[in-house]
Amino acid sequence: MSTTETLVARGKQLAAGAGALATAVALGATLFAAPAQAAPGPTKPFGVVTAKTGLSERQYPSTDSSVRGHLHHRAQVGLVCKVRTQSVGGNTVWYLTRQERASWVAAKYVTNSGYVKYCKDVQRNRLHPNHAAKHAVG
């Protein structure tokens, strides 16, 4: 075999070896790559009070309902769900808050973040957690 033929044969072997090495490295990198990050779970929606004078928290979604508390301007409040009832300033949506003592606030004065489900789409026990205990016999 001539020197040229030897060099050509050697070059082909090196190229084949380099290709196999590159394939092995790529496969290894794929096998040992860090697992993909899990997508974050859905965040619970909240709202920020936009009324300059604050906002009354109501027992029911109506301005005729008794006031349970007051939220200050720019206060953040967790939201459970929404309903369409009495119009306040042309907006018929009211939010049920996610506080220790759940109350209702007019959506007209709350800017929400995230999607807020309608209350009919939320589980009943989340809306009234003490409902069963209140009517228990024993």
Side-chain angles (χ1 to χ4, degrees), residues 65-82:
S65 179
S66 62
V67 176
R68 286 187 142 183
H70 186 80
L71 296 170
H72 296 285
H73 177 63
R74 293 189 182 152
Q76 285 190 3
V77 61
L79 305 175
V80 176
C81 60
K82 63 185 175 184

Side-chain angles (χ1 to χ4, degrees), residues 58-131:
R58 303 279 181 169
Q59 183 174 3
Y60 301 106
S62 167
T63 56
D64 295 333
S65 179
S66 62
V67 176
R68 286 187 142 183
H70 186 80
L71 296 170
H72 296 285
H73 177 63
R74 293 189 182 152
Q76 285 190 3
V77 61
L79 305 175
V80 176
C81 60
K82 63 185 175 184
V83 295
R84 289 194 177 275
T85 61
Q86 180 187 24
S87 177
V88 174
N91 189 337
T92 60
V93 176
W94 286 72
Y95 294 123
L96 178 63
T97 64
R98 192 176 59 234
Q99 296 176 338
E100 184 177 318
R101 204 170 86 174
S103 57
W104 294 90
V105 291
K108 169 73 176 173
Y109 303 108
V110 176
T111 300
N112 70 318
S113 73
Y115 177 73
V116 182
K117 293 182 178 181
Y118 279 95
C119 292
K120 67 182 178 124
D121 298 330
V122 177
Q123 296 174 356
R124 183 170 177 80
N125 61 354
R126 287 188 61 203
L127 294 176
H128 305 289
N130 296 329
H131 183 64

Side-chain angles (χ1 to χ4, degrees), residues 6-85:
T6 305
L7 289 175
V8 169
R10 188 81 139 139
K12 288 181 182 178
Q13 288 175 345
L14 286 174
L21 179 63
T23 303
V25 168
L27 181 60
T30 303
L31 293 175
F32 294 111
Q37 294 285 334
T43 58
K44 293 182 179 181
F46 69 93
V48 177
V49 176
T50 58
K52 298 287 184 201
T53 58
L55 181 61
S56 294
E57 297 176 278
R58 303 279 181 169
Q59 183 174 3
Y60 301 106
S62 167
T63 56
D64 295 333
S65 179
S66 62
V67 176
R68 286 187 142 183
H70 186 80
L71 296 170
H72 296 285
H73 177 63
R74 293 189 182 152
Q76 285 190 3
V77 61
L79 305 175
V80 176
C81 60
K82 63 185 175 184
V83 295
R84 289 194 177 275
T85 61

